[in-house]
Amino acid sequence: MSEEKVPVEIFKALGDETRLKIFLTLSRSPDRLCVSDVVKQLGISQPAVSQHLKILKAAGLADSARKGHKIHYGVNREFFRDALEKLVGLVMNVDAVLPELLVDSTA
């Protein structure tokens, strides 16, 4: 993760209501959950849960571990903690970083 920026992928990943529900379900669980556990808890189809978990993993918000023939997912707490610290830093120094954030990077 960049020293001064919070990746946009985090906001994109958590900006979807279903992914946010999955992320919160994972974060509240004392153990890692497999896809079927999330399906049962949220009533979402297995393919949809799998796709959303793929996006959460790509954003760095979730990680996985194989247990037998199943893959269990959890929140990547260290990554999330670091991202929150960077976000708080940006908010606390908004006057200093705002001009840089408003520069059109496509120009």
Side-chain angles (χ1 to χ4, degrees):
M1 181 180 309
S2 167
E3 286 298 316
E4 64 281 340
K5 294 184 180 178
V6 178
V8 173
E9 291 78 20
I10 292 174
F11 295 107
K12 288 181 181 178
L14 295 177
D16 179 88
E17 185 177 354
T18 300
R19 278 194 293 277
L20 180 59
K21 286 179 183 178
I22 292 170
F23 179 79
L24 293 174
T25 299
L26 293 175
S27 69
R28 291 178 182 140
S29 176
D31 301 313
R32 291 177 175 270
L33 301 174
C34 65
V35 171
S36 61
D37 294 331
V38 177
V39 167
K40 288 176 194 169
Q41 288 188 33
L42 297 179
I44 302 167
S45 72
Q46 181 273 324
V49 169
S50 294
Q51 183 64 27
H52 287 301
L53 284 169
K54 178 180 173 183
I55 293 167
L56 289 170
K57 277 188 70 176
L61 294 168
D63 55 18
S64 62
R66 182 172 289 280
K67 290 184 182 178
H69 68 281
K70 291 187 176 183
I71 298 174
H72 290 71
Y73 296 87
V75 170
N76 185 343
R77 294 183 190 284
E78 184 176 334
F79 178 86
F80 189 62
R81 189 176 307 116
D82 290 346
L84 284 177
E85 287 176 7
K86 286 176 178 47
L87 180 59
V88 168
L90 284 172
V91 170
M92 297 304 290
N93 297 305
V94 71
D95 291 335
V97 297
L98 190 57
E100 179 184 327
L101 294 174
L102 293 177
V103 173
D104 184 5
S105 63
T106 61

